[in-house]
Amino acid sequence: MEKGRILLAVTGFHPQRWRELLSAEREVVLEPDGAKDPSITYAVVWKQKPNLLSSLPNLRAIFSIGAGVDHIFADPGLPDVPIVKVVADNLTQYMTEYVVWRVLDHHRQGLLYRQQQPKKIWHEPQQRPAGDISVGIMGLGTLGRAAASVLLSLGFAVNGWSRSERPMEGVATYAGEAGLIPFLKATDILVVLLPLTPDTKGIINYGVLKELRKRNGLGGSVLINAGRGRLQKDADIIRALDDGTLKEASLDVFEVEPLPKTSPLWNHPKVFVTPHAAATSDPIHLVPGMLRQMDAFERGEKLDNLVDRKAGY
Protein backbone atom coordinates (compact mmCIF):
# COMPACT_ATOMS: atom_id res chain seq x y z
CA MET A 1 0.00 0.00 0.00
CA GLU A 2 1.54 3.30 -1.09
CA LYS A 3 1.88 6.04 1.48
CA GLY A 4 0.37 8.80 -0.62
CA ARG A 5 0.15 12.37 0.63
CA ILE A 6 -1.41 13.99 3.70
CA LEU A 7 -3.81 16.88 3.23
CA LEU A 8 -3.43 19.29 6.17
CA ALA A 9 -6.61 21.37 6.17
CA VAL A 10 -7.02 23.73 9.14
CA THR A 11 -8.84 26.97 9.82
CA GLY A 12 -8.18 29.44 12.62
CA PHE A 13 -4.45 28.97 13.21
CA HIS A 14 -1.18 28.69 11.31
CA PRO A 15 -0.42 25.09 10.26
CA GLN A 16 3.36 25.42 9.92
CA ARG A 17 4.40 23.43 13.00
CA TRP A 18 1.94 20.63 12.17
CA ARG A 19 3.26 20.55 8.60
CA GLU A 20 6.89 20.38 9.72
CA LEU A 21 6.28 17.43 12.03
CA LEU A 22 4.06 15.49 9.61
CA SER A 23 6.56 16.10 6.79
CA ALA A 24 9.24 14.23 8.71
CA GLU A 25 7.75 10.98 7.35
CA ARG A 26 5.24 11.87 4.64
CA GLU A 27 4.59 14.46 1.96
CA VAL A 28 2.14 17.10 3.20
CA VAL A 29 0.07 19.56 1.19
CA LEU A 30 -2.26 22.35 2.28
CA GLU A 31 -4.49 22.09 -0.79
CA PRO A 32 -5.33 19.13 -3.03
CA ASP A 33 -4.41 19.20 -6.70
CA GLY A 34 -8.02 19.55 -7.73
CA ALA A 35 -11.19 18.16 -6.18
CA LYS A 36 -10.34 14.58 -7.24
CA ASP A 37 -6.64 14.52 -6.32
CA PRO A 38 -5.75 10.80 -6.28
CA SER A 39 -2.55 11.32 -4.29
CA ILE A 40 -4.28 12.25 -1.00
CA THR A 41 -4.61 9.24 1.30
CA TYR A 42 -5.09 10.94 4.70
CA ALA A 43 -6.54 14.23 5.88
CA VAL A 44 -5.51 15.96 9.12
CA VAL A 45 -8.13 18.60 9.78
CA TRP A 46 -9.58 21.31 11.96
CA LYS A 47 -12.70 23.02 10.59
CA GLN A 48 -11.86 22.11 7.01
CA LYS A 49 -13.62 23.91 4.16
CA PRO A 50 -17.00 22.37 3.27
CA ASN A 51 -16.84 19.63 0.64
CA LEU A 52 -13.03 19.75 0.51
CA LEU A 53 -12.77 16.02 1.18
CA SER A 54 -15.88 14.83 -0.62
CA SER A 55 -14.34 13.79 -3.95
CA LEU A 56 -10.87 12.56 -2.96
CA PRO A 57 -10.96 9.02 -4.43
CA ASN A 58 -8.17 7.44 -2.35
CA LEU A 59 -8.81 9.06 1.03
CA ARG A 60 -8.41 6.36 3.69
CA ALA A 61 -8.99 8.19 6.98
CA ILE A 62 -9.53 11.60 8.57
CA PHE A 63 -7.65 12.67 11.69
CA SER A 64 -9.00 15.43 13.93
CA ILE A 65 -6.46 17.86 15.34
CA GLY A 66 -8.65 18.66 18.36
CA ALA A 67 -10.44 16.58 20.96
CA GLY A 68 -13.83 17.45 19.48
CA VAL A 69 -15.07 16.14 16.14
CA ASP A 70 -18.23 18.22 15.71
CA HIS A 71 -16.28 20.48 13.33
CA ILE A 72 -15.80 17.49 11.02
CA PHE A 73 -19.47 16.52 11.03
CA ALA A 74 -20.35 20.12 10.11
CA ASP A 75 -19.03 19.35 6.60
CA PRO A 76 -22.03 18.52 4.34
CA GLY A 77 -19.76 16.63 1.98
CA LEU A 78 -18.07 14.43 4.56
CA PRO A 79 -16.93 11.18 2.87
CA ASP A 80 -17.60 7.76 4.34
CA VAL A 81 -14.13 6.97 5.66
CA PRO A 82 -12.91 6.32 9.23
CA ILE A 83 -12.53 9.35 11.50
CA VAL A 84 -9.88 9.26 14.23
CA LYS A 85 -10.22 11.44 17.32
CA VAL A 86 -7.37 12.75 19.41
CA VAL A 87 -6.48 10.77 22.52
CA ALA A 88 -3.13 11.79 23.98
CA ASP A 89 -1.66 11.71 27.45
CA ASN A 90 -0.68 15.37 27.45
CA LEU A 91 -4.14 16.48 26.30
CA THR A 92 -5.71 14.42 29.09
CA GLN A 93 -3.21 15.87 31.58
CA TYR A 94 -4.01 19.46 30.51
CA MET A 95 -7.74 18.91 30.90
CA THR A 96 -7.33 17.23 34.27
CA GLU A 97 -5.22 20.16 35.46
CA TYR A 98 -7.86 22.64 34.34
CA VAL A 99 -10.76 20.78 35.95
CA VAL A 100 -8.96 20.24 39.25
CA TRP A 101 -7.75 23.87 39.29
CA ARG A 102 -11.23 25.25 38.81
CA VAL A 103 -12.88 22.80 41.24
CA LEU A 104 -10.34 23.66 43.93
CA ASP A 105 -10.66 27.40 43.31
CA HIS A 106 -14.43 27.27 43.77
CA HIS A 107 -14.15 24.89 46.72
CA ARG A 108 -11.51 27.03 48.49
CA GLN A 109 -13.51 30.22 47.83
CA GLY A 110 -11.07 31.84 45.45
CA LEU A 111 -13.63 34.36 44.19
CA LEU A 112 -14.29 35.64 47.71
CA TYR A 113 -10.59 36.09 48.45
CA ARG A 114 -10.04 37.90 45.15
CA GLN A 115 -12.87 40.25 46.08
CA GLN A 116 -11.46 40.83 49.55
CA GLN A 117 -7.87 41.57 48.51
CA PRO A 118 -8.35 44.99 46.82
CA LYS A 119 -10.55 46.02 49.76
CA LYS A 120 -7.82 44.91 52.22
CA ILE A 121 -10.27 42.70 54.08
CA TRP A 122 -8.67 40.16 56.44
CA HIS A 123 -11.41 37.58 56.86
CA GLU A 124 -11.28 33.81 56.84
CA PRO A 125 -14.66 32.25 55.97
CA GLN A 126 -15.64 28.79 57.14
CA GLN A 127 -14.08 26.13 54.94
CA ARG A 128 -15.82 22.79 54.42
CA PRO A 129 -13.78 19.64 53.72
CA ALA A 130 -13.66 18.22 50.20
CA GLY A 131 -15.70 15.23 51.32
CA ASP A 132 -18.68 17.51 51.89
CA ILE A 133 -18.64 18.60 48.24
CA SER A 134 -20.06 16.57 45.36
CA VAL A 135 -18.50 17.12 41.92
CA GLY A 136 -20.65 15.89 39.04
CA ILE A 137 -18.92 15.21 35.72
CA MET A 138 -21.02 15.14 32.56
CA GLY A 139 -19.11 12.96 30.14
CA LEU A 140 -17.21 9.92 31.43
CA GLY A 141 -14.92 9.40 28.48
CA THR A 142 -11.13 9.49 28.68
CA LEU A 143 -11.02 13.11 29.90
CA GLY A 144 -13.86 12.79 32.38
CA ARG A 145 -12.53 9.61 33.95
CA ALA A 146 -9.03 11.05 34.35
CA ALA A 147 -10.38 14.14 36.10
CA ALA A 148 -12.66 12.01 38.28
CA SER A 149 -9.71 9.90 39.46
CA VAL A 150 -7.76 12.92 40.66
CA LEU A 151 -10.79 14.49 42.35
CA LEU A 152 -11.44 11.22 44.16
CA SER A 153 -7.84 11.20 45.39
CA LEU A 154 -8.40 14.68 46.85
CA GLY A 155 -11.39 13.44 48.82
CA PHE A 156 -14.27 14.86 46.81
CA ALA A 157 -17.45 12.88 46.32
CA VAL A 158 -17.73 12.34 42.56
CA ASN A 159 -20.79 11.66 40.41
CA GLY A 160 -20.74 10.90 36.71
CA TRP A 161 -23.35 11.13 33.96
CA SER A 162 -23.18 9.82 30.42
CA ARG A 163 -25.60 8.82 27.68
CA SER A 164 -25.07 5.12 28.38
CA GLU A 165 -23.87 3.21 31.43
CA ARG A 166 -20.18 3.89 32.18
CA PRO A 167 -19.36 2.31 35.57
CA MET A 168 -16.31 3.63 37.42
CA GLU A 169 -15.03 2.54 40.80
CA GLY A 170 -15.63 5.13 43.49
CA VAL A 171 -17.95 7.21 41.29
CA ALA A 172 -21.74 7.28 41.59
CA THR A 173 -22.75 6.91 37.95
CA TYR A 174 -25.98 7.87 36.23
CA ALA A 175 -26.99 7.35 32.61
CA GLY A 176 -29.45 8.54 29.99
CA GLU A 177 -32.41 10.83 30.26
CA ALA A 178 -33.76 8.98 33.29
CA GLY A 179 -30.54 9.51 35.22
CA LEU A 180 -29.98 13.19 34.42
CA ILE A 181 -32.20 14.85 37.08
CA PRO A 182 -31.08 12.52 39.91
CA PHE A 183 -27.47 13.23 38.89
CA LEU A 184 -28.01 16.99 38.97
CA LYS A 185 -29.81 16.92 42.31
CA ALA A 186 -26.80 15.12 43.84
CA THR A 187 -24.26 17.60 42.38
CA ASP A 188 -22.75 20.78 43.87
CA ILE A 189 -20.11 21.53 41.22
CA LEU A 190 -21.11 20.57 37.67
CA VAL A 191 -18.19 19.86 35.31
CA VAL A 192 -19.15 19.58 31.64
CA LEU A 193 -16.89 17.50 29.38
CA LEU A 194 -19.46 16.19 26.91
CA PRO A 195 -18.92 15.96 23.16
CA LEU A 196 -21.10 18.18 20.99
CA THR A 197 -23.78 16.21 19.13
CA PRO A 198 -27.32 17.04 18.02
CA ASP A 199 -28.51 15.46 21.29
CA THR A 200 -26.19 17.50 23.54
CA LYS A 201 -26.39 20.88 21.81
CA GLY A 202 -27.76 23.43 24.30
CA ILE A 203 -28.04 20.84 27.08
CA ILE A 204 -26.62 23.27 29.65
CA ASN A 205 -29.69 25.49 29.88
CA TYR A 206 -31.65 27.12 32.67
CA GLY A 207 -33.87 24.10 33.15
CA VAL A 208 -30.84 21.89 33.81
CA LEU A 209 -29.02 24.42 36.00
CA LYS A 210 -31.99 24.92 38.31
CA GLU A 211 -31.90 21.20 39.18
CA LEU A 212 -28.43 21.43 40.75
CA ARG A 213 -28.19 21.08 44.52
CA LYS A 214 -28.14 24.53 46.10
CA ARG A 215 -28.17 23.86 49.82
CA ASN A 216 -24.65 22.55 50.13
CA GLY A 217 -21.24 23.21 51.65
CA LEU A 218 -20.44 25.78 48.99
CA GLY A 219 -23.43 27.98 49.64
CA GLY A 220 -24.68 27.46 46.10
CA SER A 221 -24.12 25.46 42.92
CA VAL A 222 -21.23 25.99 40.50
CA LEU A 223 -20.79 25.38 36.76
CA ILE A 224 -17.52 24.53 35.00
CA ASN A 225 -17.66 24.02 31.23
CA ALA A 226 -14.50 22.88 29.45
CA GLY A 227 -16.30 20.78 26.83
CA ARG A 228 -17.78 22.55 23.81
CA GLY A 229 -19.26 26.03 23.68
CA ARG A 230 -22.51 25.10 21.99
CA LEU A 231 -23.34 22.68 24.78
CA GLN A 232 -24.40 25.73 26.77
CA LYS A 233 -26.81 28.62 26.44
CA ASP A 234 -24.80 31.68 27.45
CA ALA A 235 -27.93 33.72 28.20
CA ASP A 236 -29.28 30.98 30.47
CA ILE A 237 -26.04 30.91 32.44
CA ILE A 238 -26.20 34.67 32.94
CA ARG A 239 -29.82 34.39 34.07
CA ALA A 240 -28.91 31.62 36.53
CA LEU A 241 -26.03 33.66 37.96
CA ASP A 242 -28.14 36.79 38.30
CA ASP A 243 -31.05 35.13 40.09
CA GLY A 244 -28.91 32.97 42.39
CA THR A 245 -29.57 29.65 40.68
CA LEU A 246 -25.79 29.51 40.20
CA LYS A 247 -23.29 30.82 42.72
CA GLU A 248 -20.34 30.98 40.31
CA ALA A 249 -19.13 29.71 36.94
CA SER A 250 -15.83 28.92 35.23
CA LEU A 251 -16.20 28.95 31.46
CA ASP A 252 -13.52 27.95 28.97
CA VAL A 253 -15.88 27.61 26.00
CA PHE A 254 -18.73 29.70 24.60
CA GLU A 255 -21.52 29.64 22.03
CA VAL A 256 -19.54 32.06 19.84
CA GLU A 257 -15.74 32.07 19.89
CA PRO A 258 -13.79 34.23 20.33
CA LEU A 259 -16.20 35.48 22.98
CA PRO A 260 -17.59 38.77 21.61
CA LYS A 261 -16.34 41.86 23.43
CA THR A 262 -19.99 42.82 23.97
CA SER A 263 -20.73 39.66 25.96
CA PRO A 264 -21.72 40.38 29.58
CA LEU A 265 -19.79 37.26 30.59
CA TRP A 266 -16.50 39.19 30.31
CA ASN A 267 -17.37 41.51 33.18
CA HIS A 268 -19.72 39.36 35.20
CA PRO A 269 -18.51 39.35 38.83
CA LYS A 270 -19.32 35.64 39.29
CA VAL A 271 -17.67 34.32 36.11
CA PHE A 272 -14.09 33.17 35.49
CA VAL A 273 -13.29 33.27 31.75
CA THR A 274 -10.50 31.46 29.90
CA PRO A 275 -10.11 31.55 26.07
CA HIS A 276 -10.74 27.89 25.16
CA ALA A 277 -7.37 27.11 26.73
CA ALA A 278 -8.18 24.17 29.02
CA ALA A 279 -6.47 21.60 26.78
CA THR A 280 -4.73 22.93 23.70
CA SER A 281 -3.65 20.45 21.02
CA ASP A 282 0.14 20.33 20.86
CA PRO A 283 1.48 18.91 17.58
CA ILE A 284 4.73 17.67 19.12
CA HIS A 285 2.67 15.26 21.24
CA LEU A 286 -0.07 14.44 18.74
CA VAL A 287 1.67 14.06 15.36
CA PRO A 288 3.78 10.99 16.28
CA GLY A 289 0.62 9.09 17.21
CA MET A 290 -1.06 10.07 13.94
CA LEU A 291 1.93 8.87 11.91
CA ARG A 292 2.08 5.59 13.84
CA GLN A 293 -1.60 5.01 13.15
CA MET A 294 -1.15 5.64 9.44
CA ASP A 295 1.76 3.20 9.27
CA ALA A 296 -0.18 0.55 11.21
CA PHE A 297 -3.28 0.99 9.03
CA GLU A 298 -1.19 0.40 5.92
CA ARG A 299 0.10 -2.83 7.50
CA GLY A 300 -3.51 -3.99 7.77
CA GLU A 301 -3.99 -3.15 11.44
CA LYS A 302 -7.09 -1.46 12.83
CA LEU A 303 -7.20 2.25 13.63
CA ASP A 304 -7.50 3.23 17.30
CA ASN A 305 -9.81 5.88 18.78
CA LEU A 306 -12.32 5.75 15.96
CA VAL A 307 -15.35 8.04 16.03
CA ASP A 308 -18.74 6.38 16.22
CA ARG A 309 -20.55 8.14 13.38
CA LYS A 310 -23.98 7.23 14.72
CA ALA A 311 -23.21 8.63 18.18
CA GLY A 312 -21.33 11.61 16.75
CA TYR A 313 -18.19 11.22 18.88
Side-chain angles (χ1 to χ4, degrees):
M1 187 180 290
E2 294 184 6
K3 282 192 171 185
R5 300 196 296 174
I6 296 173
L7 172 62
L8 177 61
V10 300
T11 300
F13 62 90
H14 199 282
Q16 185 58 35
R17 186 59 177 149
W18 290 88
R19 187 176 191 177
E20 289 174 356
L21 292 168
L22 288 165
S23 296
E25 296 188 17
R26 293 172 180 260
E27 184 179 354
V28 180
V29 296
L30 301 181
E31 293 284 348
D33 294 334
K36 297 184 179 181
D37 186 346
S39 70
I40 303 297
T41 52
Y42 298 100
V44 176
V45 305
W46 179 256
K47 299 182 179 179
Q48 75 276 9
K49 297 175 183 176
N51 300 306
L52 180 66
L53 312 178
S54 60
S55 300
L56 299 175
N58 296 318
L59 186 66
R60 298 170 188 158
I62 301 167
F63 290 78
S64 174
I65 277 178
V69 293
D70 48 284
H71 65 99
I72 294 177
F73 285 111
D75 185 347
L78 186 65
D80 187 17
V81 299
I83 301 170
V84 181
K85 56 189 173 184
V86 165
V87 176
D89 290 345
N90 82 302
L91 202 65
T92 303
Q93 175 70 19
Y94 288 158
M95 184 60 79
T96 299
E97 290 172 358
Y98 176 88
V99 170
V100 173
W101 169 43
R102 298 318 308 147
V103 167
L104 286 174
D105 186 73
H106 291 295
H107 168 55
R108 293 305 302 262
Q109 305 180 70
L111 175 60
L112 176 62
Y113 288 122
R114 286 189 291 274
Q115 292 170 338
Q116 288 184 173
Q117 184 171 344
K119 299 176 183 178
K120 302 176 183 178
I121 296 174
W122 187 273
H123 168 67
E124 180 185 359
Q126 181 183 9
Q127 180 62 53
R128 304 292 290 271
D132 287 356
I133 308 301
S134 175
V135 181
I137 299 176
M138 294 185 79
L140 282 180
T142 300
L143 301 179
R145 296 171 88 83
S149 294
V150 177
L151 292 168
L152 284 170
S153 74
L154 293 171
F156 289 98
V158 180
N159 303 324
W161 181 87
S162 49
R163 285 183 57 191
S164 56
E165 292 287 347
R166 298 292 298 272
M168 181 175 178
E169 186 176 354
V171 176
T173 55
Y174 303 78
E177 187 175 347
L180 181 57
I181 299 303
F183 161 78
L184 294 168
K185 289 186 178 299
T187 293
D188 305 319
I189 300 176
L190 178 64
V191 177
V192 184
L193 295 176
L194 290 168
L196 179 64
T197 70
D199 289 337
T200 61
K201 183 178 179 180
I203 192 172
I204 306 303
N205 53 49
Y206 189 81
V208 160
L209 296 173
K210 72 178 183 180
E211 298 294 343
L212 290 168
R213 187 163 64 187
K214 304 190 178 47
R215 300 184 65 179
N216 56 37
L218 292 172
S221 54
V222 171
L223 169 66
I224 299 170
N225 187 5
R228 312 300 291 172
R230 285 184 291 162
L231 294 170
Q232 71 190 33
K233 296 289 186 182
D234 291 1
D236 286 14
I237 294 173
I238 294 167
R239 176 187 172 190
L241 290 162
D242 288 346
D243 70 11
T245 296
L246 280 179
K247 180 189 176 189
E248 300 168 11
S250 286
L251 303 175
D252 185 58
V253 292
F254 306 89
E255 285 187 87
V256 176
E257 295 182 4
L259 183 63
K261 295 184 185 300
T262 55
S263 172
L265 290 168
W266 279 114
N267 297 316
H268 200 290
K270 299 178 182 178
V271 178
F272 188 91
V273 170
T274 47
H276 204 146
T280 301
S281 296
D282 184 345
I284 201 166
H285 291 282
L286 301 183
V287 166
M290 292 178 178
L291 292 172
R292 281 195 300 271
Q293 286 245 63
M294 294 174 193
D295 289 342
F297 193 48
E298 288 162 3
R299 293 193 300 268
E301 299 174 26
K302 292 182 178 180
L303 292 166
D304 294 326
N305 308 313
L306 285 175
V307 171
D308 181 332
R309 282 177 173 261
K310 186 175 180 180
Y313 60 89

